[in-house]
Amino acid sequence: AAMAEATAVREKEAAAFAAEKAEADTNIAAMEKAIVALERGMAGGFLQTASVPVLRRLAQHSGALEDSDRQQLLAFLSGDARYAPASGQIVGILKQMHETMEKDLAEAT
């Protein structure tokens, strides 16, 4: 009975980790797409992609972001034209988030 219980607990933990890893992989991929698009000067096209809602959700819930960075990133993702020239700053914010997420994922495995 104890063995079956332990197996069930491990299976539940494995399933939870798999879901967390899948979400992290999706988030990291969205961030990579954003960084590449912004570095190529293609911010307008990027803002039309499915990665934007993923990044918006991440920005809203990331404890790793300072409020000023969060506000800048959310304004940019909403298509606020005032942030287009500041895309270098946006790339920096995204790279920082990307690095943190990859580190967190590596620590979780």
Side-chain angles (χ1 to χ4, degrees):
M3 190 67 139
E5 192 175 312
T7 299
V9 167
R10 277 195 302 281
E11 288 173 353
K12 185 177 175 183
E13 288 172 349
F17 173 76
E20 234 177 83
K21 183 178 180 332
E23 182 177 351
D25 288 344
T26 298
N27 296 342
I28 289 169
M31 223 164 274
E32 289 169 350
K33 288 177 188 174
I35 292 167
V36 168
L38 292 172
E39 286 179 336
R40 291 183 181 163
M42 301 166 60
F46 169 75
L47 291 174
Q48 306 303 313
T49 69
S51 295
V52 172
V54 173
L55 292 177
R56 186 176 293 122
R57 183 178 41 78
L58 282 172
Q60 289 169 334
H61 301 291
S62 173
L65 277 180
E66 304 228 355
D67 283 340
S68 59
D69 289 345
R70 180 183 336 278
Q71 290 169 3
Q72 264 195 310
L73 183 55
L74 289 172
F76 170 76
L77 292 172
S78 71
D80 188 330
R82 293 175 296 168
Y83 286 92
S87 62
Q89 282 183 294
I90 301 300
V91 169
I93 293 167
L94 290 172
K95 284 183 175 181
Q96 177 187 354
M97 288 175 66
H98 182 268
E99 184 179 300
T100 300
M101 290 178 68
E102 283 192 323
K103 189 179 103 199
D104 290 347
L105 182 58
E107 289 173 0
T109 56

